[in-house]
Amino acid sequence: VLTSIGDTYLQLKQMNALADLRELPALKGLPNQYVAPDGTWAAHTLAYRCMAYNTNLVKKEELPKTWDDLVTDSKWRGGRLALSNNPNAWLLALWSAKGEAWGRDFTRRLFDLAPQQRKEGLMAITALTVAGEFYANLPSPGERAQEYANKGAPLSYHCPDPVTATLSQMVLMEKSQHKNGAKVFINWLLSAEGQLLQYAASQLEPVNKALQLPQFVPFADTILGDRKSTRLNSSHVALSRMPSSA
C-alpha cells in the first residue's frame, strides 16, 4: 500500500501496476471525486491550504473575498505577504480550475505585489507569521494554524473563494504478495472508524462523507459552504461545494 506518490501515480498506471479498489465497501462512503473512475486510487486525507494571517496586523474585514481581490489590494504589497515554494499545494488547483489565461495573469499580478519568497517549510513559515515577520503567508496548513490559534497566538486563517485543498491518494500494487490483507486495511482506513483514528493521530481532515463536519475542519467558518478547488498529486482537479449544513 502506497500513499503520497505524487506524479509517480501516472507512471504506475501506465505500467498497469495498480490494483482496482472499487470492490471495497468503504469506497461508497467517499464522494465520487475522491475515488479514481477506474478504482486505481482512493483519497484518504483532505488538507486545506489557504492563508494564515497575523490578527494583530490584519483585520478580518480586510481579507480578500476572492483570489483576484488578493492581487488587486495594495495592502499586500511590499513584502507583507510571504510565499513558500509550494505552488502545488494551492496555485495549481486554481490554475487548473480557472484556466490557463487566468492562471498566467493571476501569477503575474501575484508577483507584482513583491511578496517575500521564503525557503522555509509550511509549518516554519506559519510560525513566522505568528511572530509578525509578515502580515500573512501562503499556503498554510489549516491544522497547524489551528494549533497556534488554540494556544492563544495572534493567528487566524482565511480562504478566498474558491477554497484550495489537496487530496492524498492511496494505491495498492497489483502484484502485492498480501493483496487481500492490504485491501482489508484500506477498507478499514477509509471507513468512518479508520478515518476517526487517522484524525486523532494526525489532525488531517477525513474524506468519509459521514465525517464532513465542522469539528473536523480547522477554521470551518472560512471553509464550509464555500466552493472548493481540490487538486490531487496526479494533477486531477475537482470543483465542488462543501455542504453549508455540515
Side-chain angles (χ1 to χ4, degrees), residues 16-76:
N16 295 318
L18 303 176
D20 187 345
L21 303 175
R22 286 176 290 182
E23 66 177 304
L24 301 183
L27 264 61
K28 297 179 181 178
L30 273 60
N32 291 336
Q33 65 267 30
Y34 292 1
V35 181
D38 61 359
T40 52
W41 60 261
H44 68 102
T45 66
L46 173 66
Y48 297 102
R49 296 291 182 260
C50 299
M51 301 172 59
Y53 67 95
N54 188 302
T55 55
N56 290 336
L57 301 174
V58 182
K59 298 178 181 179
K60 188 174 183 179
E61 56 269 24
E62 296 175 321
L63 296 167
K65 292 183 179 179
T66 68
W67 293 101
D68 288 297
D69 292 337
L70 172 68
V71 294
T72 56
D73 189 345
S74 60
K75 181 178 183 63
W76 304 105

Side-chain angles (χ1 to χ4, degrees), residues 55-115:
T55 55
N56 290 336
L57 301 174
V58 182
K59 298 178 181 179
K60 188 174 183 179
E61 56 269 24
E62 296 175 321
L63 296 167
K65 292 183 179 179
T66 68
W67 293 101
D68 288 297
D69 292 337
L70 172 68
V71 294
T72 56
D73 189 345
S74 60
K75 181 178 183 63
W76 304 105
R77 290 186 178 278
R80 293 173 178 175
L81 176 67
L83 301 179
S84 61
N85 188 22
N86 301 94
N88 58 302
W90 68 284
L91 180 57
L92 294 188
L94 294 171
W95 192 302
S96 298
K98 288 179 169 288
E100 181 76 10
W102 183 93
R104 288 182 177 274
D105 181 64
F106 174 83
T107 303
R108 177 188 58 78
R109 291 189 293 163
L110 177 66
F111 282 96
D112 282 347
L113 295 175

Side-chain angles (χ1 to χ4, degrees), residues 19-20 85 108 118 151 155 167 177 190 197 206 219 243:
D20 187 345
N85 188 22
R108 177 188 58 78
R118 309 292 301 208
K151 294 177 181 179
L155 190 77
L167 292 171
Q177 294 183 6
L190 298 180
L197 185 57
F219 306 98

